[in-house]
Amino acid sequence: MMIERRPVLTAVSHLILLIGVLVVAFPVYITFVGSTQTAEQIASSNPLSLVPGSHFLETYRLALFGGKTYSGSTIAPVAPMLWVSFVCAMVIAIGKIAISLLSAFAIVYFRFPARGLVFWMIFVTLMLPVEVRIGPTYEVVSDLGMLNSYAGLTVPLIASATATFLFRQFFLTVPDELVEAARMDGAGPMRFFWDVLLPLSRTSIAALFVIQFIYGWNQYLWPLLVTTSEDMYPVVLGIKRAIFGEVYVEWNVVMATAILAMLPPAIVVMLMQKWFVKGLVDTEK
C-alpha cells in the first residue's frame, strides 16, 4: 500500500508539535533564567528578563548547600532534601514493582479459593487513593512510631493495584507451553518466576519504574503530614518552605530549587526513554 505524502499536513503537524514544546518549555526556561539572577533583579524587573544572568554558580551553591543571603534570609540546604526524595522515590518504585510482580504471579499461576475475589479486592483499591484513606493511614503510621522516617514516607505508598493489574494482564499472555516446559525441566514456581517471567517482563518493569519513580518523587501531601523534622523533608516540601517560610522570598533560590527538583526525574526519563516506550507498547499488545 502506497502512503501519500502531504507536505501541508506534515508542516501543520510539525508546527503543532513545536507550539506544544514551546508551551511546555517556556516556563522551564523562565525558571532557569530567574535562577541565574539575584532576588533584587527579579523583584525590580517587570517583565522578567529573558536573558540569563551572571549569578548561576552563586545561586545554585546557595540552593544546594544553604547559607545567608544579602537580605539576611537563611536558606536551608536542598542537597539533603534531594537525597530524601531520591531514596523515597527509589523505595516506592522498587517496592511497588516487587510487590505487584509477586501479587500478579500468585493470582495468575496459583490455584487457591476466591482467587478472582482477591484480585478484584486489589483492583477496587484503585478507587481509594491516599487522600481518601489518609486519616486511618496516618494513625497507623503514628502508632507504629514511623513518623519522620523513611519507612513512614514510603511503606504506606508501596502497594499498587495498577501495577498488579498490568502485570496480571501481561502474565495471562505468556504461552502455557512455557509453563509446561518449565515444569518438565523440574523448575519450581520461583525458578519459573526468576528465569522466565522476570526476563519477559523487563520492558514492562522499566515503564512502570519510570512512572512510579516520578510518582514517588512528586509526593507532597503525605510527606507534609508524616514529617515534622526538616531533616526528613523531601525537595517538594523544600520548595514550599522556601516560599512560605520566610518574610522575604528569595525567588532566585526558589527557582534554582525548582530546577534541581526537575533534574532527577528528567534524567530517569531520558535514560530509560527507549525501555519506557517499548514497555508501554508491549503492555498494550
Side-chain angles (χ1 to χ4, degrees), residues 241-252:
R241 181 188 183 280
I243 297 175
F244 299 104
E246 300 290 342
V247 176
Y248 181 77
V249 180
E250 301 284 346
W251 285 109
N252 58 331

Side-chain angles (χ1 to χ4, degrees), residues 24-92:
V24 173
F26 186 69
V28 179
Y29 176 74
I30 290 295
T31 303
F32 172 75
V33 170
S35 69
T36 62
Q37 301 177 358
T38 64
E40 291 75 15
Q41 288 175 330
I42 296 175
S44 60
S45 58
N46 188 17
L48 183 67
S49 172
L50 297 180
V51 180
S54 58
H55 298 271
F56 175 83
L57 293 177
E58 176 187 348
T59 303
Y60 280 86
R61 180 197 60 77
L62 190 62
L64 276 171
F65 306 109
K68 287 277 189 180
T69 63
Y70 294 114
S71 62
S73 301
T74 301
I75 303 298
V78 175
M81 301 178 192
L82 290 170
W83 174 250
V84 171
S85 293
F86 178 76
V87 172
C88 291
M90 289 295 293
V91 171
I92 289 172

